RNA sequence: GCCGGAAUGGCGGAACCGGUAGACGCAGCGGACUCAAAAUCCGCCGCUCGCGAGGGCAUGAGAGUUCGAGUCUCUCUUCCGGCACCA
C-alpha cells in the first residue's frame, strides 16, 4: 500500500473494478426486496453544475446504502433532452439542436461517470429519441380518442416582430427578449390533457403518501384547490333574449350583499356590450393584451368599466350593474364573479374606487357596519343580517338555505370547483415531441394510427427565432389523412417537455422495449421507492407524473396497485454561491468567486476583496443562486480535478443537510479533503503496524455511540451528520495510543460508513486492509449494544469531561 | 398579490421527545517543527464584564404558554422556492 493518497489513481482503479464486474447492472431478481432509487434526470445543458453533483450524490448515497443493506437496487440515468435552451443555442451558434444536445449528453455522461455513481448505464435513455417519444405520441392518441385530450383555445405570448410565440421566460418586462417589442396576448387553438378529470383522486391520494414531505403535499393540495360553493345564476335580458349570467362563490351566505357583477374581458356579455361602446372596447382590448403570468396578473391595479347592462338578483330581483374587470379570468370558473364589497377585500376596494354601494349582510367581530378602511374581520364568517328570511343564520345554514331556494328557482345549486386547470401541452416550437394529429379538410383532427408512429422529428433543423420551424417544412407537414387518404397537414406544434418527464421513471424499467410503452418489468420496479430532486419541482412535475402514472396504468394494464409513482420523496435545496463585482471599468463587471481574494479582520469578517489576477478591488454582493448573469457558477470539474470525486462528493454531503440550501464555499472543501487524506494516512500506518488484541472500552464506546447516531441520521436522511460521524470516529481512533482490536473494528466501521459517500477510497482501503474484496458487499455496520451499555454514565463523564 | 419554506457564532451547520445552545468542519488566533515557507501536529476560539474564581447577555424582532422554549402559539421583518410556456 502506498503512503500518499492519490485520488486520481484510486478512483480510476475503483471504477475499473466496478466496470469489470458490471457492478451496477440491475436485474429483476426476486430473491431480495427491490429498491428503486431515482434522482431527477438532468437537462443536458452543457456541463454538470453543483446542483447536479449534489442531487446525484444524495441519490448515490442512498443507492449504495440500500445495496449494503441487502436490497436489489436500481439506479438509472437518462436525459431530459427536449427543450428551449437547445433552440436558443442553435440560434446563437447555428448548430442544430439535436447536435448540440447529443454533444452535451456525451460530455455530461463522462462527468457523471468520473464521479463514480452506481448507475446502471444499460438503461440510459434520452427523451429526444424517437424510441422514447413515440410513446408520448402513443399515449396522446389514446387519450385523444377517449376525450381525455382535446382541443380548445389557450392564451400565449405573441411577439409581433418575430411573429412567434414566446415562453414566459422570454418575456422581459412585457417585451420580447430578442426584439424588445411589446408582447401581446393571443388566443390560439391548443391541445389539452384533461388532468381535471383526476383532480379529486389526485387530491385524496395525497393522504396515502406518508413518505412525502408535508410541505409538498400541502402545496399540491392548495394547487389542486378544491372549493365547495354554490353556482348562482343572475338572469338578464339581451336583445329580447332571456339569458343567465352564472358565477361561482364559496360565500353564498353573502349573496344578498351582492351589489355588482364583474366579468372577464373575453366574456360574451362584455363582448356584446362593447359593440356599441368604443370606450369599453378599448378597455377590454387593454385587458386582453395584459399579462399572461398569474404572478403579474395578481399585482396589477384592479380596474373596471361598466357595460351598461344589468342582471337581476336571483333572490331579490334587484337590478345589479355588470362591469368588466381586468382581474377576472375567463379561464377560471365561469369568467364572472359577484361583487360583495362588504365582505371581500378586493370587492371592497373596487366598490370604493368606483363608488358602488356597500351593503353589509354579515355580523362580524367588530359589529354590523363596515366603515373604511377595510378590516380583515369583515370577511370572517358570522350571522346573516339585513338578509330578510336568512337573518340569524350562520354560515353553513345560510349557504344550505340559499342553495335550496336557488335550486327551486332553477338559478343555482351546490358545486365543487377546482383551482386546477387542464394541462395545455401544445408548444409552437421545434425541439419537442411532434403532436400526432393530422388535420384533414374532410375528417377533421385525426390521430395518427399506431402503425404510423412515431411521427419523427427531423433532426437537421436550425431554428432562427421566427415562427414555428416545423410549419416551414412541407416535407414534414404534408401528408395524407389516415382515414380518407386525401392530402392533409400534420400538426406542427410539439408537446410540452413536461410530458417527457412525466413517465420516464417507468420507462427505465424497460428502455429497450420496442413493442410497447412498458412491459411487465415496470410492474417489478415501480413504484420508485425513493425519488430525489429539487424543491422547485414540488408542484408541476410531480403532479403531472402522478397524473401520468394513473393514465399509464389504465392504458398499459400493467403496474396493478401502483397509483402513485413515488413512494418516498426527498426534495433537495438549491446550491447558492457568493457573488462579487467591480465597477472599475465604469460598468458593473461580475467576477467569479474563484478569482477573488478576500481580506478578513481578526474576527474573520470580510474587510475587503480584490481580483487575484490584477488586484482590482471588488464588491461583495451577497449570496444567491448560481447564474450566468452574476458569473458566480462553480464548475464542479475544477473541484473534481483538484481534489478528486470522493472529496467533491463528501463535501457536498457534509456541508449541509440535503433539504437545505447549500452555500458554496471553495475554502470549506479543505476540511473534507483533509479528512479523506487522514483516513488514508491512518489506514496506511495501521497496515504496517503490529496490533495487539486489546480493547479500549472508552474509545469503543465513542465509536459505537457515533455509529448509532449515524444510523439514525441515515434513516432520516440527515447525511451531513453521517459525514460528521465519520470524522468523529476517525478522531476517536487517532486518540488510541497503539494499534489494537479497537482500531481494527473502528476502521472497519468507518470504511463501511464512508462507502456510500466516498466510495472509491472506501473500496480501495477495504481491499488493501484485507477486510474483504468489495466493501459494497459487506454488511452495513450496526452498533453493538454491549459496547454502549457498559458503565455508560461513567464513560460519558470521562469522555466529555462533564456530566451529561 | 397568492401558496409553501427558512432565519442559531466571522461562516456551513449540531441540538432526535420542550430539559447543559453551538457537536463536526471552515475561517481566525497562539505555539511546535523548519534557514524559511507549505504541509503536518498541539492549544485557544459566541458576545460581554472580570487579573482570576466567576458573573451577565445570547438562537431574525416582539408578545404568549411553561418550573423550563432554538424547539410550542400568535403578530411582524427579511430572504428563498412556486404561480401553469425555464427545466
Amino acid at each position: 500500500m502506498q503512503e500518499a493518497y492519490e485520488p486520481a489513481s484510486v478512483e480510476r482503479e475503483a471504477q475499473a473494478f466496478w466496470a469489470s464486474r458490471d457492478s451496477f447492472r440491475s436485474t429483476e431478481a426476486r430473491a431480495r426486496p427491490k429498491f428503486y432509487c431515482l434522482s431527477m434526470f438532468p437537462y443536458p445543458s452543457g456541463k454538470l453544475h453543483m446542483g447536479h453533483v449534489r442531487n446525484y450524490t444524495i441519490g448515490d448515497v442512498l443507492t449504495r446504502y440500500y445495496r449494503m443493506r441487502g436490497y436489489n437496487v436500481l439506479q438509472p440515468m437518462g436525459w431530459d433532452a427536449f427543450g428551449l435552451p437547445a433552440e436558443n443555442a442553435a440560434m446563437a451558434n447555428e448548430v442544430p439542436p439535436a447536435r448540440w444536445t447529443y454533444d452535451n449528453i456525451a460530455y455530461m455522461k463522462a462527468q457523471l461517470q468520473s464521479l463514480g455513481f452506481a448507475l446502471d448505464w444499460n438503461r440510459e435513455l434520452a427523451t429526444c429519441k424517437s424510441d422514447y417519444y413515440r410513446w408520448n405520441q402513443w399515449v396522446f392518441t389514446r387519450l385523444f380518442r377517449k376525450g381525455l385530450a382535446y382541443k380548445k383555445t389557450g392564451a400565449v405570448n405573441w411577439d409581433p416582430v418575430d411573429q412567434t410565440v414566446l415562453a414566459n421566460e422570454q418575456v422581459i418586462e412585457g417585451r420580447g427578449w430578442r426584439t424588445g417589442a411589446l408582447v401581446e396576448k393571443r388566443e390560439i387553438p391548443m391541445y389539452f390533457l384533461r388532468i381535471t378529470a383526476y383532480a379529486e383522486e389526485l387530491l385524496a391520494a395525497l393522504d396515502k403518501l406518508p413518505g412525502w414531505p408535508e410541505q409538498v403535499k400541502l402545496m399540491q393540495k392548495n394547487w389542486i384547490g378544491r372549493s365547495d360553493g354554490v353556482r348562482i345564476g343572475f338572469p338578464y335580458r339581451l336583445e329580447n333574449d332571456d339569458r343567465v349570467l352564472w358565477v361561482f362563490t364559496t360565500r353564498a351566505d353573502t349573496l344578498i350583499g351582492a351589489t355588482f357583477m364583474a366579468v372577464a374581458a373575453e366574456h360574451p356579455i362584455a363582448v356584446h356590450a362593447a359593440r356599441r361602446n368604443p370606450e369599453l372596447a378599448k378597455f377590454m382590448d387593454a385587458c386582453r393584451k395584459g399579462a399572461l403570468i398569474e404572478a403579474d396578473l395578481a399585482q396589477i391595479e384592479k380596474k373596471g368599466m361598466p357595460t351598461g347592462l344589468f342582471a337581476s338578483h336571483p333572490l331579490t330581483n334587484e337590478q345589479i350593474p355588470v362591469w368588466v374587470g381586468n382581474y377576472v379570468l375567463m379561464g377560471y370558473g365561469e369568467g364572472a364573479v359577484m361583487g360583495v364589497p362588504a365582505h371581500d377585500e378586493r370587492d371592497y376596494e373596487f366598490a370604493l374606487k368606483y363608488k358602488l354601494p356597500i351593503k353589509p349582510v354579515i355580523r362580524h367581530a367588530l359589529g354590523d357596519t363596515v366603515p373604511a378602511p377595510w378590516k380583515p374581520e369583515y370577511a370572517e364568517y358570522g350571522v346573516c343580517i339585513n338578509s330578510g328570511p336568512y337573518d340569524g343564520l350562520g354560515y353553513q345554514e345560510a349557504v344550505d338555505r340559499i342553495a335550496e331556494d336557488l335550486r327551486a328557482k332553477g338559478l343555482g345549486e351546490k358545486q365543487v370547483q377546482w383551482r386546477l386547470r387542464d394541462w395545455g401541452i401544445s408548444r409552437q416550437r421545434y425541439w419537442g415531441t411532434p403532436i400526432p394529429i393530422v388535420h384533414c379538410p374532410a375528417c377533421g383532427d385525426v390521430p395518427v394510427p399506431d402503425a404510423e408512429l412515431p411521427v419523427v422529428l427531423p433532426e437537421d433543423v436550425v431554428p432562427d427565432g421566427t415562427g414555428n420551424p416545423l410549419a416551414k417544412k412541407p416535407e414534414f407537414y404534408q401528408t395524407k389523412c389516415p382515414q380518407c387518404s386525401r392530402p392533409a397537414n400534420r400538426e406542427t406544434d410539439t408537446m410540452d417537455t413536461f410530458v417527457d418527464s412525466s413517465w420516464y421513471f417507468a420507462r427505465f424499467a424497460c428502455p429497450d422495449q420496442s413493442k410497447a410503452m412498458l412491459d411487465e418489468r415496470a410492474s417489478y420496479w415501480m413504484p420508485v421507492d425513493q425519488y430525489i430532486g429539487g424543491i422547485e419541482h414540488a408542484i408541476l412535475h410531480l403532479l403531472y407524473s402522478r397524473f401520468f402514472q394513473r393514465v399509464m396504468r389504465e392504458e398499459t394494464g400493467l403496474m396493478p396497485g401502483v397509483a402513485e409513482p413515488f413512494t418516498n420523496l426527498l426534495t433537495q435545496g438549491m446550491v447558492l454561491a457568493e457573488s462579487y463585482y467591480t465597477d472599475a471599468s465604469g460598468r458593473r463587471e461580475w467576477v467569479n468567486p474563484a478569482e477573488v481574494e478576500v481580506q478578513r479582520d481578526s474576527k474573520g469578517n470580510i474587510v475587503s476583496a480584490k481580483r487575484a489576477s490584477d488586484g482590482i478591488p471588488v464588491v461583495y454582493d451577497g449570496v444567491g443562486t448560481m447564474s450566468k448573469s452574476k458569473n458566480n457558477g462553480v464548475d464542479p470539474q475544477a473541484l473534481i480535478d483538484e481534489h478528486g470525486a470522493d472529496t467533491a462528493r463528501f463535501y457536498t454531503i457534509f456541508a449541509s443537510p440535503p433539504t437545505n440550501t447549500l452555500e458554496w464555499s471553495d475554502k470549506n472543501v479543505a476540511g473534507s479533503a483533509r479528512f479523506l487524506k487522514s483516513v488514508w494516512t491512518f489506514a496506511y500506518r495501521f497496515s504496517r503496524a503490529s496490533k495487539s488484541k486489546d480493547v479500549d472500552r472508552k474509545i469503543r464506546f465513542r465509536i459505537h455511540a457515533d455509529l448509532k447516531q449515524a444510523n439514525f441520521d441515515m434513516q432520516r436522511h440527515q447525511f451531513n451528520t453521517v459525514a460528521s460521524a465519520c470524522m468523529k470516529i476517525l478522531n476517536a481512533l487517532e486518540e488510541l495510543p497503539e494499534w489494537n482490536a479497537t482500531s481494527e473494528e473502528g476502521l472497519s466501521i468507518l470504511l463501511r460508513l464512508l462507502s456510500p459517500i466516498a466510495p472509491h477510497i472506501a473500496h480501495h482501503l477495504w481491499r488493501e486492509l484485507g477486510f474483504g474484496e468489495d466493501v459494497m458487499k459487506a454488511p452495513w455496520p450496526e452498533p453493538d449494544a454491549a459496547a454502549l451499555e457498559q458503565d455508560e454514565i461513567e464513560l460519558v463523564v470521562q469522555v466529555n469531561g462533564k456530566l451529561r
Side-chain angles (χ1 to χ4, degrees):
Chain A
M1 175 178 180
Q2 69 177 49
E3 186 171 359
Y5 170 45
E6 285 166 12
S9 62
V10 168
E11 286 164 16
R12 206 165 35 236
E13 184 214 284
Q15 286 169 20
F17 178 91
W18 296 325
S20 72
R21 311 281 161 121
D22 211 357
S23 294
F24 308 134
R25 180 193 282 271
S26 304
T27 55
E28 291 73 35
R30 314 237 161 212
R32 291 173 293 153
K34 69 99 183 175
F35 190 87
Y36 182 3
C37 185
L38 183 68
S39 296
M40 290 179 186
F41 66 164
Y43 178 78
S45 53
K47 295 179 189 173
L48 290 189
H49 55 67
M50 285 313 307
H52 291 129
V53 174
R54 192 180 193 201
N55 197 169
Y56 303 131
T57 302
I58 292 166
D60 202 47
V61 165
L62 283 160
T63 293
R64 289 171 179 274
Y65 171 67
Y66 277 97
R67 282 180 71 122
M68 292 178 75
R69 304 292 301 252
Y71 288 83
N72 184 34
V73 181
L74 168 62
Q75 186 184 220
M77 181 55 69
W79 308 96
D80 187 13
F82 274 139
L84 199 52
E87 294 192 38
N88 296 341
M91 283 182 247
N93 310 320
E94 293 184 11
V95 178
R99 170 73 187 284
W100 182 85
T101 301
Y102 293 130
D103 286 351
N104 289 347
I105 287 175
Y107 185 81
M108 290 170 74
K109 183 175 179 180
Q111 285 192 303
L112 286 174
Q113 286 173 323
S114 79
L115 280 157
F117 295 131
L119 294 165
D120 184 355
W121 285 105
N122 298 296
R123 296 170 186 262
E124 181 180 3
L125 58 80
T127 58
C128 63
K129 295 198 172 163
S130 63
D131 60 2
Y132 182 84
Y133 67 70
R134 70 177 295 176
W135 303 111
N136 286 350
Q137 297 173 336
W138 183 85
V139 165
F140 177 86
T141 56
R142 260 142 198 82
L143 294 181
F144 187 82
R145 291 188 189 108
K146 277 188 173 178
L148 285 170
Y150 64 97
K151 190 155 90 173
K152 69 169 184 181
T153 61
V156 294
N157 305 301
W158 179 255
D159 184 322
V161 173
D162 267 349
Q163 295 283 300
T164 195
V165 175
L166 297 178
N168 285 340
E169 190 191 50
Q170 297 171 318
V171 180
I172 317 285
E173 286 168 6
R175 291 172 183 275
W177 64 323
R178 283 154 56 84
T179 62
L182 270 179
V183 169
E184 297 167 13
K185 197 161 72 177
R186 275 209 177 177
E187 295 279 331
I188 60 168
M190 307 205 306
Y191 290 95
F192 286 79
L193 301 188
R194 209 181 291 279
I195 189 173
T196 51
Y198 290 81
E200 190 141 28
E201 195 195 330
L202 288 168
L203 178 67
L206 287 171
D207 291 336
K208 297 175 210 153
L209 285 171
W212 280 40
E214 289 303 322
Q215 161 198 4
V216 174
K217 288 191 276 187
L218 192 53
M219 280 192 264
Q220 293 222 345
K221 184 184 170 198
N222 292 337
W223 185 265
I224 297 168
R226 182 191 163 109
S227 342
D228 290 274
V230 182
R231 184 170 182 253
I232 302 175
F234 290 69
Y236 64 100
R237 236 182 130 67
L238 198 64
E239 293 179 338
N240 300 323
D241 206 6
D242 284 322
R243 302 185 186 200
V244 177
L245 179 56
W246 290 99
V247 302
F248 173 85
T249 179
T250 57
R251 290 300 302 270
D253 60 321
T254 65
L255 174 57
I256 302 294
T259 59
F260 68 95
M261 317 284 297
V263 301
E266 293 85 357
H267 197 282
I269 194 174
V271 174
H272 185 274
R275 278 188 216 140
R276 286 180 216 152
N277 186 341
E279 211 181 329
L280 180 65
K282 208 172 138 195
F283 172 73
M284 281 162 50
D285 219 39
C287 290
R288 276 195 291 264
K289 277 193 178 159
L292 193 65
I293 302 165
E294 195 198 301
D296 298 343
L297 216 53
Q299 280 168 86
I300 54 171
E301 197 194 342
K302 310 287 179 278
K303 283 186 191 164
M305 193 173 267
T307 59
L309 300 170
F310 289 81
S312 306
H313 192 288
L315 297 178
T316 65
N317 295 324
E318 215 175 317
Q319 291 298 293
I320 297 180
V322 178
W323 286 59
V324 176
N326 66 347
Y327 60 94
V328 185
L329 299 177
M330 199 59 214
Y332 284 133
E334 310 280 350
V337 296
M338 68 175 196
V340 184
H343 305 292
D344 179 277
E345 185 170 10
R346 193 180 56 189
D347 295 345
Y348 192 86
E349 278 162 19
F350 197 84
L352 285 186
K353 184 169 179 175
Y354 295 110
K355 309 215 164 27
L356 292 160
I358 298 173
K359 183 180 174 193
V361 290
I362 300 289
R363 176 167 297 142
H364 54 85
L366 303 178
D368 288 358
T369 57
V370 290
W374 169 263
K375 306 226 171 37
E377 285 83 0
Y378 300 169
E380 284 170 2
Y381 291 159
V383 172
C384 290
I385 53 171
N386 307 326
S387 301
Y390 310 107
D391 279 352
L393 298 181
Y395 170 77
Q396 196 56 56
E397 269 181 307
V399 170
D400 292 347
R401 284 272 293 278
I402 287 171
E404 189 47 49
D405 292 349
L406 289 169
R407 228 162 84 90
K409 293 185 169 190
L411 288 175
E413 64 207 326
K414 283 197 179 175
Q415 197 184 43
V416 174
Q417 177 125 340
W418 304 89
R419 207 190 78 95
L420 182 68
R421 309 201 294 262
D422 276 339
W423 176 11
I425 59 155
S426 292
R427 297 291 179 272
Q428 298 68 43
R429 275 185 256 293
Y430 156 66
W431 192 232
T433 305
I435 293 177
I437 290 282
V438 173
H439 302 290
C440 172
C443 311
D445 291 1
V446 181
V448 176
D450 289 0
E452 291 173 31
L453 292 178
V455 176
V456 176
L457 183 74
E459 291 201 345
D460 55 354
V461 173
V462 183
D464 62 4
T466 68
N468 180 346
L470 289 179
K472 299 176 195 167
K473 284 185 87 74
E475 64 272 33
F476 174 79
Y477 66 74
Q478 286 178 353
T479 186
K480 283 179 179 169
C481 173
Q483 276 178 19
C484 66
S485 296
R486 276 179 286 193
N489 286 341
R490 282 192 194 287
E491 171 65 48
T492 55
D493 282 359
T494 54
M495 291 186 199
D496 181 4
T497 55
F498 269 123
V499 175
D500 309 332
S501 55
S502 292
W503 68 281
Y504 75 107
F505 43 85
R507 183 71 183 175
F508 274 133
C510 47
D512 54 356
Q513 176 55 262
S514 60
K515 301 275 187 286
M517 184 183 200
L518 300 172
D519 63 30
E520 65 284 352
R521 287 173 287 173
S523 300
Y524 175 80
W525 287 112
M526 286 298 291
V528 173
D529 294 281
Q530 179 68 61
Y531 197 37
I532 304 127
I535 182 71
E536 66 272 21
H537 296 293
I539 295 174
L540 289 179
H541 164 60
L542 292 171
L543 190 63
Y544 292 149
S545 297
R546 296 181 62 222
F547 165 59
F548 246 78
Q549 176 64 27
R550 289 165 167 81
V551 168
M552 278 191 290
R553 194 175 56 161
E554 285 160 24
E555 297 303 330
T556 65
L558 295 166
M559 304 180 289
V562 183
E564 290 294 336
F566 314 120
T567 307
N568 294 291
L569 175 68
L570 191 162
T571 47
Q572 72 161 356
M574 313 232 314
V575 180
L576 309 178
E578 295 172 330
S579 55
Y580 299 89
Y581 63 87
T582 169
D583 289 323
S585 58
R587 66 195 163 78
R588 190 171 281 200
E589 185 187 344
W590 294 94
V591 181
N592 194 281
E595 296 158 20
V596 172
E597 265 176 29
V598 175
Q599 279 78 48
R600 291 167 195 275
D601 63 17
S602 62
K603 288 186 177 174
N605 300 308
I606 295 176
V607 234
S608 69
K610 61 181 183 185
R611 181 154 62 191
S613 55
D614 53 13
I616 287 177
V618 295
V619 182
Y620 174 58
D621 191 53
V623 164
T625 55
M626 289 187 183
S627 69
K628 269 187 190 158
S629 60
K630 285 200 173 183
N631 186 21
N632 64 342
V634 177
D635 184 1
Q637 200 56 49
L639 174 64
I640 298 164
D641 292 345
E642 191 181 345
H643 295 287
D646 279 345
T647 296
R649 295 172 55 125
F650 191 92
Y651 174 64
T652 56
I653 288 296
F654 175 65
S656 177
T659 52
N660 278 27
T661 52
L662 166 55
E663 195 173 315
W664 187 259
S665 158
D666 262 334
K667 277 184 180 160
N668 290 353
V669 172
S672 301
R674 211 169 284 161
F675 165 68
L676 292 184
K677 198 171 163 186
S678 301
V679 172
W680 182 279
T681 305
F682 185 86
Y684 172 76
R685 294 195 190 128
F686 178 84
S687 71
R688 299 166 63 92
S690 57
K691 295 128 201 163
S692 77
K693 292 197 172 163
D694 294 349
V695 170
D696 186 309
R697 280 178 48 223
K698 290 180 203 165
I699 297 293
R700 193 156 182 265
F701 173 84
R702 279 170 59 184
I703 291 168
H704 283 267
D706 287 335
L707 175 59
K708 187 178 174 188
Q709 182 67 45
N711 278 344
F712 176 73
D713 289 342
M714 201 76 200
Q715 272 161 32
R716 55 178 190 140
H717 299 159
Q718 193 83 356
F719 302 131
N720 56 322
T721 51
V722 177
S724 291
C726 293
M727 289 177 158
K728 287 181 192 178
I729 289 174
L730 183 66
N731 287 349
L733 288 174
E734 283 178 335
E735 281 179 35
L736 286 168
E738 53 168 7
W739 311 103
N740 59 20
T742 304
S743 318
E744 183 157 0
E745 186 190 1
L747 204 45
S748 160
I749 288 171
L750 173 59
L751 291 179
R752 281 179 284 161
L753 213 48
L754 191 59
S755 170
I757 307 174
H760 306 88
I761 189 172
H763 169 86
H764 184 95
L765 293 176
W766 188 257
R767 286 163 68 86
E768 285 284 351
L769 297 178
F771 286 129
E773 196 202 42
D774 187 351
V775 69
M776 281 209 315
K777 293 187 174 151
W780 185 257
E782 296 292 343
D784 175 10
L788 291 169
E789 273 167 22
Q790 289 174 13
D791 311 323
E792 187 166 340
I793 301 297
E794 182 210 344
L795 284 165
V796 172
V797 171
Q798 290 181 28
V799 167
N800 296 344
K802 48 185 181 178
L803 199 65
R804 206 173 249 190

